[in-house]
């Protein structure tokens, strides 16, 4: 059976204090049929993000000359994963909020042939320390996605996601500021199967966020409306393209 190449990519903007820890905690050898590589999308950082990433063992670094925006960084990450030959792409924030140790859990539905696109859901577990306005914003935008897709989603803003190769090839992010809502709308409308996976979560304590409330209102809402109104072509999805696990098979230690 052929190995599956998993590339974990980290969009990063001035994350010198945290990116090394995230990279070092990415599981590399949790199954003999899976090989893992790490790609950093440096979105114009002005600190030592790139140096810390290299020291921690990143396999690839892609650097923008100036800040592009989170949507553009994720778009670049997906296209670079495809170019580098990934069978599965995993996106995780570089700020330690999301658990790299749970990457095997995140990709399991893809490897079982159950999903093409997975999201780590913070709200399927208990979340402590998240500011009230962020929690409410997450709930509101997630509810909006659920209504537009007529499909219940628990955490539509998660910064930890996994993609089959076909999902990466067909994913479209129509604006540079953010990606979360338009990417899910785009992939689900094209026929890709989505599944949420419970994950743990820590509130950011370092680094610089890509996102502001004003930016959400001015950029994200118009982009959601644009995405939902524009026509998309259904994709003939190969549902078993990455299946190497049966339902009861175990990963082993990770």
């Amino acid at each position: 059976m052929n190995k599956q190449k998993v590339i974990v990519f980290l969009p990063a903007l001035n994350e010198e204090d945290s990116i090394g820890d995230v990279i070092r905690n990415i599981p590399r050898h949790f199954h003999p049929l899976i090989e893992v590589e790490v790609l950093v999308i440096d979105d114009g950082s002005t600190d030592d993000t790139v140096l810390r990433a290299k020291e921690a063992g990143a396999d690839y670094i892609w650097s923008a000359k100036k800040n592009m925006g989170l949507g553009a960084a994720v778009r670049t990450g997906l296209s670079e994963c495809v170019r580098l030959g990934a069978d599965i792409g995993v996106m995780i924030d570089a700020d330690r909020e999301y658990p790299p140790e749970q990457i095997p859990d995140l990709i399991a539905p893809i490897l079982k042939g159950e999903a093409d696109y997975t999201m780590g859901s913070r709200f399927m577990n208990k979340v402590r320390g998240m500011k009230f306005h962020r929690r409410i914003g997450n709930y509101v935008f997630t509810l909006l996605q659920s209504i537009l897709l007529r499909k219940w989603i628990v955490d539509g803003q998660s910064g930890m996601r996994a993609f089959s190769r076909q999902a990466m090839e067909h994913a479209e992010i129509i604006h540079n500021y953010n990606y979360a809502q338009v990417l899910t709308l785009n992939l689900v409308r094209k026929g890709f199967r989505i599944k949420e996976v419970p994950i743990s979560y820590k509130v950011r304590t370092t680094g610089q966020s890509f996102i502001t409330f004003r930016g959400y209102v001015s950029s994200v809402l118009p982009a959601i409306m644009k995405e939902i109104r524009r026509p998309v072509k259904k994709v003939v999805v190969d549902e078993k393209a990455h299946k190497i696990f049966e339902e009861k098979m175990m990963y082993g230690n990770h």
Side-chain angles (χ1 to χ4, degrees):
M1 187 176 291
N2 293 331
K3 282 190 174 184
Q4 294 284 299
K5 182 175 181 177
V6 175
I7 295 183
V8 181
F9 72 94
L10 296 78
L13 173 63
N14 295 334
E15 298 286 5
E16 65 179 4
D17 292 331
S18 59
I19 193 168
D21 286 344
V22 176
I23 292 172
R24 282 187 287 269
N25 284 297
I26 292 171
R28 296 276 197 151
H29 307 290
F30 58 89
H31 194 279
L33 292 178
I34 297 172
E35 56 179 288
V36 178
E37 297 178 341
V38 175
L39 161 68
V40 171
I41 304 298
D42 167 42
D43 193 14
S45 296
T46 55
D47 65 359
D48 285 334
T49 292
V50 169
L51 176 61
R52 299 291 173 255
K54 289 178 179 178
E55 290 174 346
D59 299 283
Y60 311 102
I61 307 283
W62 188 100
S63 291
K65 294 181 179 179
K66 62 180 181 179
N67 179 248
M68 306 180 295
L70 182 54
V74 175
R75 186 190 305 121
T76 300
L78 293 170
S79 64
E80 282 295 291
C81 283
V82 171
R83 186 183 70 82
L84 292 167
D87 297 293
I88 295 173
V90 176
M91 187 199 81
I92 187 169
D93 284 352
D95 56 11
R96 280 197 296 252
E97 286 192 344
Y98 296 87
E101 299 86 358
Q102 286 191 255
I103 286 173
D105 302 321
L106 187 70
I107 67 174
I110 298 175
L111 296 171
K112 292 176 182 177
E114 298 172 349
D116 316 292
Y117 171 44
T118 61
M119 298 194 298
S121 176
R122 298 164 290 181
F123 301 114
M124 292 174 80
N125 284 326
K126 290 183 179 180
V127 176
R128 294 185 175 91
M130 182 179 288
K131 293 180 179 179
F132 179 75
H133 72 276
R134 282 197 65 190
R135 186 183 290 265
I136 294 301
N138 273 293
Y139 289 159
V140 169
F141 278 97
T142 297
L143 178 61
L144 176 59
Q145 287 180 78
S146 297
I147 292 169
L148 293 173
L149 291 172
R150 299 179 182 178
K151 180 180 181 63
W152 185 249
I153 296 172
V154 178
D155 186 4
Q157 277 64 245
S158 175
M160 186 174 179
R161 306 180 183 218
F163 309 81
S164 69
R165 182 175 180 89
Q166 203 176 11
M168 290 191 289
E169 290 172 338
H170 288 274
E172 294 179 279
I173 300 171
I174 61 171
H175 68 140
N176 289 339
Y177 181 75
N178 196 7
Y179 69 94
Q181 297 79 18
V182 295
L183 178 56
T184 298
L185 291 170
N186 182 262
L187 287 175
V188 174
R189 291 174 67 218
K190 287 178 176 176
F192 290 100
R193 299 164 299 158
I194 182 174
K195 187 168 185 176
E196 292 184 274
V197 176
I199 59 168
S200 58
Y201 175 72
K202 296 179 182 177
V203 175
R204 162 193 287 273
T205 57
T206 63
Q208 178 179 339
S209 176
F210 284 84
I211 303 303
T212 64
F213 178 77
R214 179 178 293 181
Y216 250 82
V217 173
S218 63
S219 300
V220 176
L221 282 174
I224 290 173
M225 294 302 105
K226 180 179 178 181
E227 173 61 39
I228 207 68
R229 288 171 180 163
R230 72 191 189 105
V232 297
K233 186 177 180 180
K234 285 281 188 179
V235 175
V236 179
V237 177
D238 183 352
E239 297 184 352
K240 306 299 181 184
H242 306 293
K243 184 175 181 180
I244 64 172
F245 294 149
E246 298 299 333
E247 182 65 30
K248 295 182 180 180
M249 287 184 69
M250 303 295 290
Y251 285 101
N253 296 325
H254 60 265

